[in-house]
């Protein structure tokens, strides 16, 4: 949503996560901070440390190089939440449970590779 | 709230604005982008262009060097909203209706001066 207003320093998503859905693969960023705020439903915050069921009004923040995380909807109701992330140059995505590494190119596009460096 | 989680690239406030309250003086930033999302109540978005009454679920974004803005609560109910802003180095605050200029020091503290340069 930030793009609508011409924001360039960070991005804002209003995400509607269907039952059974996952917001992303379990991941952490090297430079980008992230923040989520739950508006509806009870998504589960899954990290490489623990799992927590969230509810409306709860929030969580993920500093760069912190714990890996994802939101999963294990209920039969839609979950709705706001996601914020800055656009730090040279950011990389690390996926501890998947054969995937991501890097942000200078033109703002993400490049995805296997962990041994082979491109997808 | 971002500080609680150790976020450094942007800040997050959950603001409760009492009836008659103003979130800030009318202002714009030179480098910082800002975003607000209304959770409760009907705060009025006042800008140097127009005024808009917001309601829960509505949002607004203010790119650096864009229109000057503030939120004012003209109702008799509390207004609650989320505020986001990045922490761009060298940011300055411009207040078109007040004798005030603000500049962000390298140590993260704001310095406020009259428009003729005299310190407060």
């Amino acid at each position: 949503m930030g793009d609508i207003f011409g924001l360039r320093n960070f991005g804002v998503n209003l995400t509607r996560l269907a039952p059974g859905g996952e917001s992303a693969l379990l991941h952490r960023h090297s430079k980008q901070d992230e923040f989520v705020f739950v508006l509806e439903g009870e998504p589960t915050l899954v990290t490489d440390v623990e799992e927590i069921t969230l509810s409306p009004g709860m929030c969580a923040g993920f500093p760069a190089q912190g714990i890996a995380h994802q939101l999963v909807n294990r209920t039969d109701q839609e979950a709705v939440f706001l996601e914020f992330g800055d656009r730090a140059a040279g950011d990389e995505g690390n996926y501890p449970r998947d054969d995937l590494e991501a890097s942000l190119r200078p033109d703002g596009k993400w490049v995805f590779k296997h962990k041994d460096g082979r491109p997808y």
Side-chain angles (χ1 to χ4, degrees), chain A:
Chain A
M1 297 191 294
D3 292 348
I4 296 170
F5 301 102
L7 305 190
R8 297 190 297 183
N9 297 346
F10 56 90
V12 185
N13 296 326
L14 177 68
T15 299
R16 294 182 174 276
L17 196 62
E22 301 186 0
S23 65
L25 294 173
L26 189 80
H27 75 287
R28 64 169 65 84
H29 289 269
S30 64
K31 296 192 174 180
Q32 177 188 147
D33 287 344
E34 293 179 285
F35 183 88
V36 297
F37 186 94
V38 178
L39 297 172
E40 299 175 28
E42 296 196 339
T44 301
L45 169 60
V46 176
T47 77
D48 50 2
V49 179
E50 61 184 336
E51 299 194 1
I52 303 169
T53 302
L54 303 179
S55 55
M58 291 179 73
C59 63
F62 310 104
Q65 302 182 41
I67 60 173
H69 53 275
Q70 66 177 165
L71 288 178
V72 179
N73 187 351
R74 294 185 178 142
T75 76
D76 57 6
Q77 303 293 325
E78 187 176 63
V80 183
F81 47 87
L82 295 168
E83 300 175 308
F84 297 81
D86 63 87
R87 290 169 173 162
D91 190 28
E92 296 186 342
N94 169 259
Y95 299 81
R97 292 183 185 165
D98 299 277
D99 181 21
L100 182 66
E101 294 281 358
S103 56
L104 184 63
R105 296 194 315 204
D107 66 3
K109 294 189 176 164
W110 285 93
V111 177
F112 297 94
K113 293 183 178 177
H114 293 272
K115 285 183 173 169
D116 63 7
R118 284 178 297 123
Y120 270 97

